[in-house]
Every structure is written in C-alpha cells, then in structure tokens.
C-alpha cells in the first residue's frame, strides 16, 4: 500500500467524506521493476474524487492527498491538495470556480480571474490524476486547445496506439503528446473510448506509472513511446541544426583566450569539417571560404562545459542555446546514454557533446536505482570494467556505496584509467574520501558535511540538505580545521564541483521569486515562470529562514575562498539545462571571481578536468570548432552571457532564438548573424 499521510483530511468542500463507489489504483515502478509508490483514485458517491499519491526514490519523494469536484465539461470546479513535496516543503493549495469567477490559493500564490467557458486549473504540486483530467477535458473539446488557469493553454495530439494484454484482459491504449506545459511535450498513454483517462505515464528507461494489474506492459509501452519520442527529436534536430558545408569563416570576432582570461584583437575564424582550420586578423583576404557569418565585433567564447548535468533527449536544445557545447553527464541510465551517444553521432539529436561518468551506487532503502547498484568489490570491479570498456573516462560514487570497499574500488578505477568523483558514502566524511583517493567531490553540501556530519549522520536522507542549511552559518571558515582541509584540497589538486545553483533551494522562500531565475522569468512559458516562486524546503519559521539564507551565503563565499586558495574548480549546476549554467556563472562572480575568471573555469577547466584539452576549451587551430557568439561582453558583465546569438558545434550552426521559439521561450536576442555565401572569388 502507498504511504498514507499522517495528517487528517477531515471535511472538504463543506461536507463530510462519503464512501467510495469506485477505486482506481496505479503502481509506480522503476525500470528495474522495483515498486516505489503509486496512486489511489477514489470516486465517491457525492461526485467528489479523492486521490492519494506518493513515492520514494533516492531518499526523497512527494506525499499528496487531493480532493476534487468536476464541472460538467470535465474541468475542475473545486480542488484542494495537502501534503509534502519531493524535498519536504508543505503543500497546501486550493482552487474554486463559481460561475465565471475562478480563485486559487497556495503557500506560494493567491489569485482570481474572470473566465468564460472551459478552463483547467493547473496546480503547482499535484498527482498524475490531474493529467488524467486534462485528457478527458481535451477529448470533450474535439481537438480545440484547453485554456489553463492561471494562464496558458494545453493542446494534445495522438502519436501511436497499442493493444495491450494481461491475463486474458485486452485493451486499446493511445499515446498522446500534450504541449503547453513546460518546455517539452508531456507524453501520456490513455484509454480509448468517448471518456479517455490516464492509463500509464512512462519515462522510458527510467520509471513508469501504470494501472494496477497492468504493470507487466509498462516496459512495452516505454519502448513504443521511445520510438515516437525519437522521431520528434529527430524532426527537431533537422529543423534547428544548420549544417556547415565546406569552409566557413566567422568574420570580425573578439576571441576570449581561456588561458589568459582576456579578450584578443578582432579576428576571423575559419571552420572546416567541424574543426578550426585558421585564425587570422579580422579583414584578412578570404582564402577559399564558401560561406561566412558576420560576427560584427561580438565576443567569441570557446564552448562552455556544463560539468554536472544529467542529459536527456529533451534538454539538449536548452544547453546549446546557452552556449554549452559539452555536458558531463553525472549519472544516468546507462543504456539510455549509450543510445543518445549514437543519435548524437548520427546528427539526429539536438545535443551538446557528452562526456560520460559511470555511476556506482550501493544497496539500501535510499538507493538511486539508475545504473549499477552493487554490494561487493567483485560487483564494483565488474561495473568499472563495463564503463571502461565503453570509453567512460570517469566514475561517480554515490551515497549508499559500501564504505568498506571504497579505497579498493577507487584504486581499481584508477588502474583502469578512470577519474573518480562522487558524493561521500554514508558513514564517511570528505577527508576520508580524499584518503580513499577521490579526484573530485561533487556538490557544496558534501563539502560542508565534512565539518558537520558524524559517522552516525544519515546522509542518504534529506538530512544531507537540512544539516548544511541549519549549520553552515555557524562554521568558522577561518578556523584551523577548515583551513587545513582547504590546504589539503589545494595540495592534492582535488577538484570541487560545487553546483551552487542546485542548492539555492535551501533558502528559497515559498512565494518569492528565486533570485537565480528572476532575470529570465519573463521569457519563460507561464507554467515555468510560475514555478520559480515555489519553495522546496520545509522552512519552519522566520528564524529558520534567516539561518538558511546565512548558510547559503556562506557556501557561496566558501567557493570564492577555495578559488583564492588554489583549489581547482569546475562549473556544474545539476539544475535547469542551459539557464542553470548562466546562473552558476553569476554565483561565481558573487563568490568573488571576476567574470573572466568564471568563464575560464567554464572553458579551460572544463576541458582540463574532462581530459579533452587537446580538442576543446579554447579557440585554437586544430581543435574542435565549439564556438559561441555573444552580444555585449560577458567577460566584464556576466549578465551578457544570456545574449548568445549563435553556436557552432559538431559541424552545425545553431541559433538560440530558433531553439527558444521551439520551446515556448521568448528569445533573448532578436537578430542573429546569418550564414551567407561568400561573394568574393576563391583563391586558386
């Protein structure tokens, strides 16, 4: 049974609860088959619906109870949800529509609006049943878009259908793609007939939520869905990737030298077959170029490195539009990444280049069940052999990894030529990971826990976030323990991947616009910008808010302290694709780095610590042509990093404004340097 919330639901909509006349259950499974939770939908004889939804994976997950009353058109006339979000924040939200007046209230926002005709309220935190209701409401509109509240609209189209059978039962289900919520289509399997509803929600290769009793068809549905999604991504890639055929010259650009962190004199950069073939003073005679791009004096950066991403087929465009041409994937479904690498190689997926890090996790109730979950040294060595055999340059250790075999595992990884990074396994602290041979530590909270945790601290649970939020403000960063640790990091050359962006949630007050994404909020689809005001942590009171803000500020400042002490840093986010990189660079400036120094970390250091300096990280003849053109000057004003006008990578030209329009984002630049044929006669 799924976990029932500890609080009492009581009366809702002004009446006592009635007995359910029908109950519909769904089970949520990881691809491995492990059940992690589910959903129970109870249709009551008074016309209301109660939904209980929850799951747990990687030590976290939501617990929600909803009360719903439907209008005749299939939209919600009344709605309430209570519970906790994935990281424990309190969820308490309600909506009501009376005639043409709709009103809503949550811990984040409050509003009302006059509406006419059908309109579906979109809760900030909800169960999959709300998606099911949108399916029914859209069916009643015979293909017309469904207006959303507070704003936006939702459309749906059918992509596929499949006959599924279990134990003598058979039914026809349809795969639909909904657009209008977020950046990418939302894929749902729905029942057939005049009143369709949710049958399954699949994240291919990851997890699936399916009606109870139909669990065995989850993988089949996922495989069919993956084919449909791949075709959509292939179509997008063909529209947005403009091949650079023949010799191309990018005229009149000022190149950021990632070694000196300075901008050079105006230059012309020649690109041929995906590599930089020449860099000449601006205005040099054209030497056989077939086409040109007018850089118009803009800054040219080497492609940026996102050093803590989790790649998916849907987020590549956002990375590229931000100038990120390489993503270090820090843990994923192994077969999914292998498939993506093939698609990127074929040019059928809009994506940066990917540097793979192989995940190793241990067995526990808190496990991140995505890649290899091992229990002994033999299993760890087998996994490392698998990664090494497929060209993975790096290993990532996760929270539940058995500490008893850590040193031997790291040694074997090094023997196989793999660089080792990770979280700190439960029961250990960061200095003990250094003893075991770590090359890199991921996340600023894992560093802070070195000074806060004990061997008994349960660092696989939400405690790994709560403890640093509560206590970092009290750490004396000028004290001997901290200075000794920093000195050791610098002496050993241990890299820190702080991902400050990912930890802004520690102090984000529910209802306030997050400072990270306030500069881009007006450009986002309505549902996305709305979520920038949703808090994540359960912050008890004003005193806790003040502590958490002080702790986060000290984490940011500590990264600056690490930099000044000579500790190697890389720029990773573990957050929103593309836009997270921009926010992380601004946080590094807040930490005390100059904009040019921060960009140096995102270019030179990215190449250095992915061991790709021979082909990436600088605008140098012979290296890969991973190039970014930016309006303004981000080496002086980091906010200009949002003004990317063109990106070259993998032999293609990508215009961010085209990518953003595709994703429902208002572009940050209106004009871009257009590719055009060279008018002069080529030299023979």
């Amino acid at each position: 049974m799924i976990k029932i919330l500890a609080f009492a639901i009581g009366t809702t909509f002004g009446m006592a609860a009635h007995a359910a006349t029908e109950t519909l259950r769904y089970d949520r499974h990881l691809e491995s088959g492990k059940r992690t939770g589910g959903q129970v939908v109870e249709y009551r004889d008074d016309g209301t619906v109660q939904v209980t939804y929850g799951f747990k994976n990687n030590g976290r997950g939501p617990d929600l109870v909803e009360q719903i009353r439907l209008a005749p058109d299939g939209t919600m006339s009344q709605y309430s949800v209570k519970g906790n979000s994935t990281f424990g924040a309190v969820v308490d939200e309600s909506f009501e529509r009376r005639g043409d007046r709709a009103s809503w209230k949550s811990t984040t926002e409050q509003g009302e609006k006059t509406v006419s005709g059908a309109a579906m309220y979109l809760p900030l935190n909800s169960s999959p049943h709300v998606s099911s209701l949108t399916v029914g409401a859209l069916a009643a509109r015979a293909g017309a878009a469904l207006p959303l509240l507070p704003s936006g609209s939702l459309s749906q189209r059918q992509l596929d259908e499949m006959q599924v059978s279990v134990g003598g039962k058979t039914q026809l289900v349809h795969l639909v793609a909904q657009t209008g919520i977020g950046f990418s289509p939302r894929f749902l399997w729905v029942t057939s007939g005049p009143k369709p509803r949710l049958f399954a929600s699949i994240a291919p290769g990851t997890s699936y939520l399916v009606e109870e009793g139909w669990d065995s068809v989850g993988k089949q549905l996922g495989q069919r869905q993956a084919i449909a999604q791949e075709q959509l991504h292939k179509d997008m890639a063909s529209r947005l990737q403009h091949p650079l055929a023949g010799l191309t010259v990018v005229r009149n650009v000022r190149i950021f030298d990632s070694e000196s962190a300075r901008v050079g004199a105006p230059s012309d950069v020649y690109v041929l077959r995906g590599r930089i073939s020449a860099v000449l003073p601006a205005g040099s005679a054209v030497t056989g170029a077939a086409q040109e791009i007018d850089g118009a004096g803009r800054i040219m950066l080497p492609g940026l490195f996102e050093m803590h991403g989790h790649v998916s087929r849907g987020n590549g465009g956002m990375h590229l539009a931000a100038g990120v041409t390489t993503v270090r994937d820090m843990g994923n479904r192994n077969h999914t990444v292998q498939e993506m690498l093939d698609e990127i190689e074929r040019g059928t997926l809009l994506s940066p280049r990917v540097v793979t890090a192989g995940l190793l996790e241990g067995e526990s109730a808190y496990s991140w069940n995505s890649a290899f979950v091992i229990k002994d040294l033999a299993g760890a060595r087998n996994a490392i052999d698998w990664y090494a055999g497929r060209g993975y340059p790096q290993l990532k250790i996760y929270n539940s990894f058995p500490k008893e075999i850590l040193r031997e595992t790291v040694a074997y990884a090094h023997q196989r030529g793999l660089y080792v990074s990770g979280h700190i396994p439960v029961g250990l602290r960061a200095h003990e990971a250094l003893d075991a041979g770590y090359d890199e530590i991921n996340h600023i909270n894992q560093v802070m826990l070195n000074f806060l945790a004990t061997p008994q601290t349960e660092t696989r649970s939400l405690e790994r976030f709560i403890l640093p939020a509560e206590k970092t403000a009290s750490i004396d960063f000028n004290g001997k323990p901290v200075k000794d640790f920093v000195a050791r990091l610098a002496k050993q050359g241990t890299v820190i991947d702080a991902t400050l962006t990912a930890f802004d949630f520690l102090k984000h007050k529910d209802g306030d616009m997050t400072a990270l994404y306030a500069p881009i909020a007006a450009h986002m689809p309505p549902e996305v910008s709305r979520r920038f005001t949703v808090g994540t942590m359960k912050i008890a009171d004003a005193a806790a808010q003040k502590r958490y803000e002080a702790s986060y500020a000290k984490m940011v400042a500590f990264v600056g302290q690490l930099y000044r002490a000579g500790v190697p840093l890389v720029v990773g986010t573990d957050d929103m694709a593309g836009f997270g990189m921009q926010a992380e660079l601004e946080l590094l400036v807040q930490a005390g780095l100059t904009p040019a120094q921060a960009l140096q970390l995102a270019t030179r250091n990215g190449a250095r610590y992915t061991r790709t300096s021979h082909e990436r990280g600088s605008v140098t003849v012979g290296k890969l042509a991973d190039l970014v053109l930016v309006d303004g000057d981000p080496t002086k004003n980091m906010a200009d990093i949002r003004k990317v006008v063109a990106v070259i990578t993998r032999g293609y030209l990508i215009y961010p404004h085209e990518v953003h329009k595709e994703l429902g984002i208002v572009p940050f630049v209106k004009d871009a340097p257009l590719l055009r044929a060279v008018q002069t006669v080529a030299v023979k």
Side-chain angles (χ1 to χ4, degrees), residues 3-79:
K3 180 179 177 183
I4 303 299
L5 299 180
F7 58 83
I9 300 303
T11 60
T12 307
F13 306 153
M15 61 185 71
H18 289 63
T21 58
E22 181 186 353
T23 300
L24 183 61
R25 301 177 186 274
Y26 295 80
D27 291 320
R28 187 181 189 275
H29 292 265
L30 299 177
E31 189 193 38
S32 64
K34 179 180 178 181
R35 188 180 186 279
T36 59
Q39 172 178 273
V40 178
V41 183
E42 298 177 281
Y43 298 89
R44 300 181 179 278
D45 59 9
D46 66 345
T48 64
V49 181
Q50 177 171 298
V51 183
T52 309
Y53 174 64
F55 70 87
K56 288 288 181 288
N57 188 33
N58 192 15
R60 56 197 185 218
D63 283 305
L64 303 173
V65 174
E66 298 168 315
Q67 305 284 347
I68 304 168
R69 184 183 294 279
L70 296 181
D73 60 12
T75 63
M76 298 186 293
S77 61
Q78 292 178 301
Y79 174 85

Side-chain angles (χ1 to χ4, degrees), residues 364-380:
S364 82
Y366 298 97
S367 293
W368 182 15
N369 297 277
S370 65
F372 285 102
V373 178
I374 60 93
K375 59 183 178 181
D376 54 29
L377 185 58

